[in-house]
């Protein structure tokens, strides 16, 4: 008979995003934390049933940050700098917290810069929060804990 304690999985709403030199307090959603490895197929002579498959380049999906619009404009200003040709790359982390606010997992990303900004969708018949979106291009995502 099993006597191990069952541990509940972590919830996905308790997280934070850390970015070099940007003090954005909270985010509504973070997505795009995935990567894929290209497959290189090579046909070998004498092996006619299937090609050999080798790993190629690793590609990382852009991170998409969503937050409720407030008075701070640091993320928009960062994107605006890029549109003016001043690309400043930053490192950062997405940190998952447990119910007590302690870190349980961390994904570090490197050399990120904002490729796309989307302002909030506005609707006079809605009472939803105004959400801004920033899409970050980066050169690597690593789960470190």
């Amino acid at each position: 008979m099993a006597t191990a304690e069952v541990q509940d999985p972590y919830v996905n709403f308790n997280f934070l995003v850390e970015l070099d030199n940007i003090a954005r307090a909270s985010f509504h959603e973070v997505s795009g934390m995935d990567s894929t490895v290209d497959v290189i197929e090579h046909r070998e002579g004498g092996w006619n049933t299937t090609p050999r498959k080798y790993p190629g380049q690793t590609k990382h999906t852009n991170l998409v940050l969503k937050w409720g619009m407030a008075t701070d404009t640091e993320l928009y200003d960062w994107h605006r700098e890029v549109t003016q040709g001043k690309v400043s790359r930053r490192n950062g982390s997405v940190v998952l917290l447990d119910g007590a606010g302690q870190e349980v997992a961390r994904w570090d990303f490197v050399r990120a810069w904002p490729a796309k900004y989307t302002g909030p969708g506005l609707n006079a018949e809605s009472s939803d929060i105004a959400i801004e979106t920033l899409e970050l291009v980066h050169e690597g995502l690593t789960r470190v804990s």
Side-chain angles (χ1 to χ4, degrees):
M1 178 155 96
T3 59
E5 183 178 324
V6 177
Q7 189 174 29
D8 290 335
Y10 298 113
V11 295
N12 68 350
F13 63 82
N14 200 8
F15 67 94
L16 57 89
V17 178
E18 299 171 348
L19 280 164
D20 290 344
N21 304 322
I22 292 184
R24 179 77 190 115
S26 61
F27 288 86
H28 174 72
E29 180 181 336
V30 176
S31 61
M33 295 194 322
D34 61 89
S35 62
T36 58
V37 178
D38 287 342
V39 177
I40 299 171
E41 293 188 359
H42 177 74
R43 290 186 62 177
E44 289 186 4
W47 187 264
N48 297 323
T49 57
T50 183
R52 299 286 185 184
K53 297 185 181 191
Y54 301 98
Q57 286 188 319
T58 302
K59 295 181 180 177
H60 302 277
T61 303
N62 295 346
L63 290 173
V64 180
L65 309 177
K66 295 182 180 185
W67 68 96
M69 187 174 175
T71 57
D72 68 274
T73 61
E74 284 184 289
L75 292 171
Y76 172 78
D77 294 342
W78 183 25
H79 178 262
R80 179 90 172 123
E81 289 174 7
V82 171
T83 67
Q84 296 170 344
K86 302 174 201 163
V87 178
S88 81
R89 295 173 182 261
R90 298 185 178 162
N91 299 326
S93 299
V94 177
V95 182
L96 182 64
L97 307 172
D98 65 11
Q102 299 299 311
E103 180 177 320
V104 294
R106 173 182 292 265
W107 294 264
D108 290 341
F109 55 91
V110 294
R111 297 183 44 81
W113 55 274
K116 181 180 180 180
Y117 166 82
T118 305
L122 304 175
N123 182 343
E125 296 180 3
S126 175
S127 61
D128 292 342
I129 293 174
I131 300 291
E132 292 180 283
T133 303
L134 191 69
E135 192 168 320
L136 297 179
V137 174
H138 60 91
E139 295 181 1
L141 179 72
T142 306
R143 181 171 174 181
V144 292
S145 63

